[in-house]
Amino acid sequence: MSLKEYNIVITGVGGQGILTAANILGWAALRAGYKVRVGEIHGMSQRFGSVIAYVRFGEEVYGAMVPEGKADVILSFEPVEALRYINYLKKGGLVFTNARPIPPVQVSMGIARYPSLEEIKRIVEEDFGGRFLAFDAEKLAIEAGHVVTTNVVLIGALTQTPGFPLSEDHVRDVIKLNVPPKAVEINMRAFDLGVKTCERTCLLFNFPWVFDCP
């Protein structure tokens, strides 16, 4: 299938596996035969600060950083982090996020308020013309065997969203090659749980904006 350019912005906080997710998607795109560019900004990753990574692939991809207003998908491991980088989203693009929040220190101190998922959805849809989908990926990661696999759950679910150009088989193969041998089984469980959960609910564009894990 011809694909001129596809842009993914991945964001979350340090320790959530953002850079690993970017590498997995980048290698999967390369395996699918696309030109690929991957970029990252570590930020305060060692202190649970904001982290952003870029994955770009297609037939005509040159720079590593996604231009503002050009992201087909913002894959967010934490809801508010999606809003932090919402300026990257293109009209009609998808914000796909883990629904479980990690309140920043300002919220914990009582000097700021954490927005609800409904508020985040409204901003994405009404202010930026995007689509919004959220689910508790962390819950599935724990079911798979460890919360650290939340990133793989999200990637598995992402492969089932309408219009996503990478096959789950390409992504699955890359995960097997890029995680330590002893971690392959748990990551495959996490990936498959993400695939099955979104597969049941992301039908056409009529998916519920937030859905419960089984």
Side-chain angles (χ1 to χ4, degrees), residues 15 18 23 27 65 82 114 117 132 147 157-158 165 170 173 183 185 202:
I18 290 92
N23 286 329
W27 280 109
M65 293 183 66
Y114 195 99
L117 282 176
F132 183 79
V147 68
L158 180 64
H170 280 143
D173 289 345
E185 184 178 350
C202 300

Side-chain angles (χ1 to χ4, degrees), residues 76-136:
S76 182
F77 293 10
E78 200 284 333
V80 159
E81 289 299 316
L83 287 187
R84 190 188 302 274
Y85 300 104
I86 192 65
N87 55 305
Y88 284 98
L89 190 69
K90 76 176 189 181
K91 213 78 163 174
L94 173 65
V95 170
F96 190 31
T97 184
N98 178 26
R100 190 168 296 195
I102 302 176
V105 64
Q106 294 92 335
V107 173
S108 302
M109 294 172 62
I111 60 177
R113 185 182 67 85
Y114 195 99
S116 66
L117 282 176
E118 289 84 356
E119 290 175 286
I120 296 172
K121 175 180 182 288
R122 181 191 59 75
I123 292 170
V124 169
E125 294 181 345
E126 296 181 12
D127 297 348
F128 289 88
R131 295 172 291 124
F132 183 79
L133 180 62
F135 77 111
D136 191 344

Side-chain angles (χ1 to χ4, degrees), residues 4-192:
K4 182 179 178 180
E5 178 182 293
Y6 197 88
N7 296 310
I8 305 172
V9 170
I10 308 174
T11 185
V13 300
Q16 289 190 297
I18 290 92
L19 306 184
T20 298
N23 286 329
I24 288 170
L25 290 170
W27 280 109
L30 196 64
R31 202 176 186 88
Y34 296 116
K35 294 179 180 177
V36 180
R37 297 289 184 271
V38 176
E40 59 193 48
I41 298 175
H42 291 262
M44 299 287 286
S45 58
Q46 300 303 314
R47 299 184 180 180
F48 297 96
S50 182
V51 181
I52 182 172
Y54 311 93
V55 181
R56 312 186 71 202
F57 57 90
E59 297 173 358
E60 299 180 22
V61 178
Y62 302 103
M65 293 183 66
V66 174
E68 290 192 14
K70 294 294 185 179
D72 295 275
V73 175
I74 294 179
L75 180 63
S76 182
F77 293 10
E78 200 284 333
V80 159
E81 289 299 316
L83 287 187
R84 190 188 302 274
Y85 300 104
I86 192 65
N87 55 305
Y88 284 98
L89 190 69
K90 76 176 189 181
K91 213 78 163 174
L94 173 65
V95 170
F96 190 31
T97 184
N98 178 26
R100 190 168 296 195
I102 302 176
V105 64
Q106 294 92 335
V107 173
S108 302
M109 294 172 62
I111 60 177
R113 185 182 67 85
Y114 195 99
S116 66
L117 282 176
E118 289 84 356
E119 290 175 286
I120 296 172
K121 175 180 182 288
R122 181 191 59 75
I123 292 170
V124 169
E125 294 181 345
E126 296 181 12
D127 297 348
F128 289 88
R131 295 172 291 124
F132 183 79
L133 180 62
F135 77 111
D136 191 344
E138 190 171 312
K139 178 182 177 182
L140 290 181
I142 293 169
E143 181 181 334
H146 201 291
V147 68
V148 75
T149 61
T150 299
N151 57 350
V152 175
V153 171
L154 280 162
I155 291 172
L158 180 64
T159 66
Q160 304 305 303
T161 56
F164 189 71
L166 300 180
S167 74
E168 64 179 86
D169 290 335
H170 280 143
V171 179
R172 184 180 280 107
D173 289 345
V174 167
I175 294 171
K176 290 177 181 177
L177 292 172
N178 281 271
V179 302
K182 64 181 181 180
V184 169
E185 184 178 350
I186 188 173
N187 277 276
M188 286 300 96
R189 283 201 300 270
F191 182 83
D192 289 337

